[in-house]
């Protein structure tokens, strides 16, 4: 029996569509993107294995690789916080919810992040994420251009 190769082409196609590509992107482009992503993942895993015990790769090693990028770390901490909130909401039986009772998620990864976070910048959400803000502005500009095209006189006459 031949083993099947795992592919992420369907997921990548959906992501490409979500980021503005056509509904059915060119299959060659999807395979190219998949190859690039897999190569990057292999590189990240190989780098993280340098900090592991050599047998198991844990989240700590991956977090350790991100430690120099405070924006990525903040996004990851926010993800952990959201994940904790979702789990708390699913496990609650009552309808009363105390939001932000403990704003920092507690878990093995969060404890490790607090341990390596000497300045507290990974858990400080008061500073604006410039990278995310730039993405939002780009997306807004693109949507405004699309709105202008959709409401052009030619478009109105066609409808």
């Amino acid at each position: 029996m031949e083993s099947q190769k795992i592919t992420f082409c369907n997921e990548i196609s959906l992501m490409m569509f979500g980021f503005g590509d056509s509904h059915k992107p060119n299959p060659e482009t999807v395979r190219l993107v998949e190859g690039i992503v897999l190569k990057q993942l292999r590189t990240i895993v190989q780098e993280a294995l340098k900090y592991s015990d050599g047998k198991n790769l844990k989240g700590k090693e991956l977090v350790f690789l991100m430690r120099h990028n405070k924006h990525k770390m903040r996004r990851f901490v926010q993800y952990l916080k959201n994940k904790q909130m979702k789990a708390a909401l699913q496990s609650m039986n009552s309808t009363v919810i105390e939001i932000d009772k403990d704003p920092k998620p507690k878990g093995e990864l969060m404890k490790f992040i607090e341990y390596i976070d000497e300045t507290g910048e990974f858990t400080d959400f008061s500073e604006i994420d410039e990278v995310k803000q730039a993405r939002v502005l780009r997306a807004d500009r693109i949507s405004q251009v699309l709105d202008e095209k959709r409401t052009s006189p030619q478009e109105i006459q066609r409808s």
Side-chain angles (χ1 to χ4, degrees):
M1 188 165 124
E2 213 175 285
S3 66
Q4 294 179 340
K5 181 182 175 188
I6 297 174
T7 181
F8 299 99
C9 288
N10 187 44
E11 291 83 359
I12 290 172
S13 293
L14 293 171
M15 284 189 266
M16 289 173 69
F17 175 63
F19 285 112
D21 206 320
S22 69
H23 182 63
K24 293 189 179 197
N26 185 334
E28 289 181 30
T29 305
V30 174
R31 283 192 295 275
L32 176 67
V33 170
E34 181 184 39
I36 292 168
V37 169
L38 290 173
K39 183 178 178 181
Q40 289 176 337
L41 278 172
R42 285 185 196 101
T43 302
I44 290 168
V45 168
Q46 288 171 350
E47 188 68 27
L49 281 171
K50 293 177 185 176
Y51 301 106
S52 73
D53 59 9
K55 296 178 184 177
N56 297 315
L57 184 61
K58 297 179 183 165
K60 288 181 181 181
E61 288 86 3
L62 296 170
V63 167
F64 189 72
L65 289 178
M66 286 193 306
R67 73 190 183 282
H68 295 299
N69 190 321
K70 69 180 178 182
H71 298 297
K72 286 182 183 179
M73 288 298 294
R74 282 187 189 143
R75 285 186 217 121
F76 186 65
V77 169
Q78 185 65 48
Y79 165 78
L80 292 175
K81 181 180 174 182
N82 292 342
K83 186 177 173 183
Q84 179 191 23
M85 182 68 79
K86 181 179 177 183
L89 289 173
Q90 288 176 345
S91 67
M92 291 185 113
N93 293 330
S94 69
T95 57
V96 178
I97 302 168
E98 286 188 50
I99 297 176
D100 281 338
K101 181 179 177 185
D102 185 9
K104 293 182 184 175
K106 297 298 177 198
E108 188 178 329
L109 277 178
M110 194 59 217
K111 289 176 185 172
F112 180 71
I113 290 170
E114 288 173 348
Y115 175 75
I116 64 172
D117 186 14
E118 297 171 351
T119 61
E121 63 187 356
F122 299 154
T123 55
D124 175 22
F125 295 107
S126 63
E127 189 178 320
I128 295 174
D129 184 345
E130 294 92 10
V131 175
K132 186 175 181 181
Q133 188 67 24
R135 288 180 186 157
V136 168
L137 289 174
R138 268 195 319 270
D140 186 51
R141 275 186 249 131
I142 290 170
S143 68
Q144 286 175 359
V145 168
L146 291 174
D147 258 358
E148 290 171 7
K149 286 181 181 177
R150 185 172 288 163
T151 58
S152 68
Q154 295 85 6
E155 205 47 49
I156 293 170
Q157 288 175 353
R158 285 185 213 152
S159 54

